[in-house]
Amino acid sequence: MKTALSIILFLISMNSYSQEFQGKWTGTVSGNNGTLDSEMNLKYNTTKTQILGEMIVTNSGVKDFYTINTDVSQSSAKGTLKYKDGTIFNIEMTLSGGGLSQKIAYNNQVILQGTYQKGAPKPSIEAVKNDGLYRDPALVGHWTHHENYSSSGGFYGGSSSSIVLFADGRIGDGGSKSYVSGPNSSGSSSGGGNSTIDKVSASGARWFTKGNIFYWRVNLNGQTKDIPNSKYFIKDGALLLTDIQTGKKMLYYRK
């Protein structure tokens, strides 16, 4: 009886996650060439262990279609993305904070990152220009912060975390990596799910700039507030952020 109950609970769990993926998603994908509107139509297969569907990316009014085929594992789905000319990409999708994040890779190199909301209107880049906020175009893109460490015992390692600043003022989780190595062992890991970025994104906050100050526009208790976050300086593909309150400095490099 206990074994049967465990199997039932497992199948319910798998079904729940698959149903969360199913439906129409709208958002954007971002890469080195900028940010493009995108939408996905997803469904699960009869055994509820796969997510199938299509992704549509709009570039200068032209729509490109891709076929999605992924396996489901709790709140993530991994598999392939096939273009109409037969080119195969790797795709990873993760449910987080009421939205869906996406990574698309080719030859083991992430080339696009996407963020989507279910049932929400597409966050048209043209439409958000009407909010009257200026966003330094030099900030738009994928930025990565690196940290390294070592010890007297011969161990050394490092970590990196990334953020994606979109042209419409949103922020996305660019993923994270870490590694450690020592005299007799080594290891590495990668992932995403930055809770701070998830909360900022879910709140609807948007970034913008005044002078060399990076701001957040947020809605608190029905009132719109502009909050200065940090001073920024960009040179030769490097971004230095200095926290307004603490003075802490963070150095990012364009990916």
Side-chain angles (χ1 to χ4, degrees):
M1 177 64 72
K2 183 177 180 180
T3 301
L5 179 60
S6 298
I7 294 174
I8 292 172
L9 291 174
F10 173 76
L11 292 175
I12 291 175
S13 175
M14 291 297 295
N15 182 25
S16 172
Y17 283 118
S18 297
Q19 289 175 342
E20 286 186 89
F21 277 105
Q22 179 171 278
K24 181 176 181 178
W25 297 84
T26 55
T28 59
V29 291
S30 179
N32 292 334
N33 295 324
T35 301
L36 301 173
D37 288 330
S38 177
E39 64 182 77
M40 293 190 296
N41 296 296
L42 305 178
K43 63 181 181 180
Y44 55 93
N45 67 347
T46 55
T47 59
K48 298 181 174 65
T49 57
Q50 289 181 300
I51 292 294
L52 310 172
E54 69 173 358
M55 184 176 80
I56 305 169
V57 178
T58 304
N59 187 359
S60 300
V62 178
K63 295 182 181 293
D64 279 325
F65 293 82
Y66 301 78
T67 302
I68 296 172
N69 189 325
T70 62
D71 294 321
V72 180
S73 176
Q74 297 186 346
S75 61
S76 66
K78 297 181 181 180
T80 59
L81 184 70
K82 185 177 182 179
Y83 188 47
K84 58 187 178 182
D85 66 359
T87 304
I88 303 288
F89 303 88
N90 292 322
I91 185 172
E92 179 178 348
M93 300 183 293
T94 304
L95 295 169
S96 179
L100 184 152
S101 62
Q102 175 196 79
K103 294 180 182 179
I104 298 172
Y106 186 70
N107 288 335
N108 297 318
Q109 178 69 39
V110 175
I111 59 173
L112 289 173
Q113 307 228 26
T115 57
Y116 296 81
Q117 294 293 322
K118 181 180 286 187
K122 287 194 296 185
S124 169
I125 298 169
E126 288 74 17
V128 297
K129 291 180 180 178
N130 296 327
D131 64 9
L133 300 177
Y134 175 76
R135 298 177 176 98
D136 188 341
L139 285 172
V140 176
H142 192 150
W143 298 94
T144 302
H145 172 72
H146 301 274
E147 292 186 359
N148 298 299
Y149 60 87
S150 61
S151 71
S152 58
F155 284 92
Y156 64 91
S159 63
S160 66
S161 58
S162 299
I163 58 174
V164 183
L165 297 177
F166 295 99
D168 62 3
R170 293 175 301 114
I171 185 173
D173 178 11
S176 62
K177 294 181 179 180
S178 62
Y179 74 94
V180 62
S181 183
N184 300 309
S185 62
S186 63
S188 63
S189 64
S190 61
N194 186 306
S195 60
T196 300
I197 293 178
D198 286 343
K199 290 177 182 178
V200 170
S201 180
S203 72
R206 292 290 188 269
W207 69 270
F208 67 99
T209 55
K210 288 183 180 180
N212 70 328
I213 306 297
F214 184 97
Y215 281 80
W216 286 108
R217 172 162 287 188
V218 299
N219 189 293
L220 298 174
N221 301 321
Q223 294 185 337
T224 299
K225 292 188 177 182
D226 295 339
I227 302 174
N229 178 270
S230 56
K231 296 180 181 179
Y232 74 92
F233 177 76
I234 300 177
K235 185 177 181 180
D236 297 331
L239 168 63
L240 178 65
L241 296 178
T242 304
D243 189 275
I244 294 292
Q245 294 185 350
T246 66
K248 180 180 178 180
K249 298 181 184 296
M250 295 281 285
L251 183 61
Y252 289 82
Y253 292 93
R254 186 180 293 279
K255 185 171 180 179

